[in-house]
Amino acid sequence: MRINRAVWWSGVSVVVLLGACDPLSFLDQPGSQPKGAARAARPRAWTCQKVLSPSVLLLEEQGRAVTVALEHVTVISPLARQRAMPEAAHLTAPQIHMLYTNAWMVTTQLLGNATVTLDPLPGYTDKRIIAQVLAFSLLDVGEHLLDAGLAVITANSSRPVPTTYYAAQQRAMQREIGVWAVGVEFPKRFQMVTRGGLVNADAPAAPATMAQSQHDPAATSNAVDAPVEGAELIARANLRAMILCNLAVRGAPKKYTLVLAWRARLLQNELSGPLESFRPAKDAWNNLTLAVCGGLHTNIVLTTAAHELICVTRATRQVYTGEIISGYDLRLQADDQEVGSNDVTFSSNATLEKLN
């Protein structure tokens, strides 16, 4: 700012020029920021000096070297101690060696001529850090290895795993590549072993039944009175089929959606009559959906609906009412494809023996 002031002094006109400036005005001028502040605003670019392993790198920036391990990513190595990882349980030593070699080649190709940015940045005294590594500030090296099936997600830092990492690993699983290659035909990956029997559906009746088997004197008071001439004897059984099911999924720990469907097979009659009058029937299907991973065993207990059978004895003639559980059907689906079934028939006396 400039002020012109005219002063008359002894008949002489004198012009006095006064100047003033804003002490912060340099901040408004282009290019006037300190060089240090401008440098801090730019991302620090590193170069890869050496690939120490597919997931461990030696990076350099202005003469400073830092060893960086990929965050949330592990490449399964041929070292014996890593064979204990669930993801490697199904892999042979040659397969692990091949995957490790391929991962090393991919990491080297990605970082060969690339400038690298890190998140987080190392501190001034850090020699080793765990960080996300981005080639050309764009391509996430860890995510690329996961998407190729050459690495698996591991929680090796306190920061949350990016959702993009889970998506990349899931894509590799679905394509069954790299670590997630199964090598077993789809239906043969699933093994189902079952065994079943009849159990009393009336929970309070279980102790009484046990007492009778142990000849507990107190149990005799619950027993049917001794028959008298002309009297009717009534025996009843209210039973369920219980199915113990063991599922084994072979191969890599890929996730599958399994659906178990089961039903009881029955013998029933509309009216009372002898056993010869019973006709075959079936319950409605029951369904159970569960998520499982390859390489694991799962034990499940399934039960059918309860079915009652009543036997009335008049002299030497017996009349039956209700239903007899004669067996069960079991079906297994994986990802909407049937991969197993089991149809079991119980002994004809299995229900009759439980009448009391």
Side-chain angles (χ1 to χ4, degrees), residues 27-28 77 80 104 154 164 178 201 210 228 237 244 256 259 269 303 305 345-346 350-351:
L27 295 177
D28 300 327
S77 82
W104 197 311
T154 53
T164 54
M210 184 177 294
V228 295
L244 306 179
Y256 302 91
V259 178
N269 62 352
T303 57
T345 301
F346 295 146
T351 299

Side-chain angles (χ1 to χ4, degrees), residues 310-350:
I310 296 176
C311 176
V312 177
T313 302
R314 298 186 182 93
T316 60
R317 182 171 178 265
Q318 292 179 322
V319 178
Y320 296 88
T321 303
E323 297 160 321
I324 297 173
I325 300 178
S326 60
Y328 63 84
D329 301 327
L330 186 63
R331 301 289 182 267
L332 175 64
Q333 283 189 336
D335 294 346
D336 298 324
Q337 179 178 341
E338 186 167 316
V339 294
S341 64
N342 203 344
D343 301 332
V344 173
T345 301
F346 295 146
S347 165
S348 59
N349 291 326

Side-chain angles (χ1 to χ4, degrees), residues 48 51 53-57 59 68-75 103-112 114-118 131-152 164-165 168:
C48 182
V51 177
S53 80
S55 59
V56 180
L57 317 168
L59 303 182
V68 181
L70 297 182
E71 188 176 33
H72 304 307
V73 172
T74 294
V75 175
W104 197 311
M105 180 177 62
V106 168
T107 301
T108 302
Q109 290 175 345
L110 291 176
L111 300 177
T115 57
V116 175
T117 53
L118 301 176
Q132 286 181 262
V133 177
L134 293 96
F136 303 108
S137 302
L138 180 65
L139 179 60
D140 191 314
V141 177
E143 183 180 335
H144 189 84
L145 290 171
L146 292 170
D147 191 76
L150 299 174
V152 296
T164 54
Y165 279 28

Side-chain angles (χ1 to χ4, degrees), residues 73-126:
V73 172
T74 294
V75 175
I76 299 174
S77 82
L79 298 177
R81 60 186 179 85
Q82 289 200 351
R83 291 297 302 278
M85 295 180 62
E87 294 84 355
H90 71 290
L91 297 172
T92 64
Q95 287 174 326
I96 292 177
H97 185 271
M98 181 185 66
L99 291 172
Y100 190 80
T101 301
N102 291 344
W104 197 311
M105 180 177 62
V106 168
T107 301
T108 302
Q109 290 175 345
L110 291 176
L111 300 177
N113 298 311
T115 57
V116 175
T117 53
L118 301 176
D119 180 23
L121 288 172
Y124 287 108
T125 59
D126 289 337

Side-chain angles (χ1 to χ4, degrees), residues 132-304:
Q132 286 181 262
V133 177
L134 293 96
F136 303 108
S137 302
L138 180 65
L139 179 60
D140 191 314
V141 177
E143 183 180 335
H144 189 84
L145 290 171
L146 292 170
D147 191 76
L150 299 174
V152 296
I153 293 175
T154 53
N156 60 357
S157 82
S158 58
R159 302 202 308 170
V161 178
T163 56
T164 54
Y165 279 28
Y166 288 113
Q169 180 165 280
Q170 188 63 32
R171 288 194 298 269
M173 283 185 180
Q174 296 306 316
R175 298 198 304 272
E176 297 187 2
I177 59 175
V179 175
W180 314 110
V182 178
V184 180
E185 294 181 20
F186 188 82
K188 296 181 180 179
R189 299 175 193 177
F190 308 93
Q191 296 178 340
M192 179 174 63
V193 179
T194 67
R195 60 187 179 91
L198 298 176
V199 296
N200 199 324
D202 297 327
T209 302
M210 184 177 294
Q212 288 179 355
S213 64
Q214 296 175 350
H215 304 288
D216 187 342
T220 58
S221 60
N222 297 324
V224 178
D225 292 335
V228 295
E229 186 176 355
E232 291 185 348
L233 294 180
I234 300 176
R236 174 180 175 272
N238 190 32
L239 305 175
R240 301 178 187 271
M242 177 179 287
I243 308 167
L244 306 179
C245 183
N246 176 268
L247 298 176
V249 184
R250 300 172 59 190
K254 175 182 175 179
K255 294 180 180 179
Y256 302 91
T257 299
L258 300 187
V259 178
L260 278 168
W262 72 99
R263 65 184 178 186
R265 294 208 306 268
L266 309 170
L267 293 174
Q268 62 182 197
N269 62 352
E270 297 181 358
L271 303 173
S272 299
L275 289 177
E276 292 77 11
S277 65
F278 281 59
R279 295 293 178 263
K282 293 178 180 179
D283 263 347
W285 286 103
N286 298 285
N287 293 282
L288 174 67
T289 301
L290 63 157
V292 300
C293 291
L296 299 179
H297 289 258
T298 304
N299 293 312
I300 302 171
V301 179
L302 309 173
T303 57
T304 67

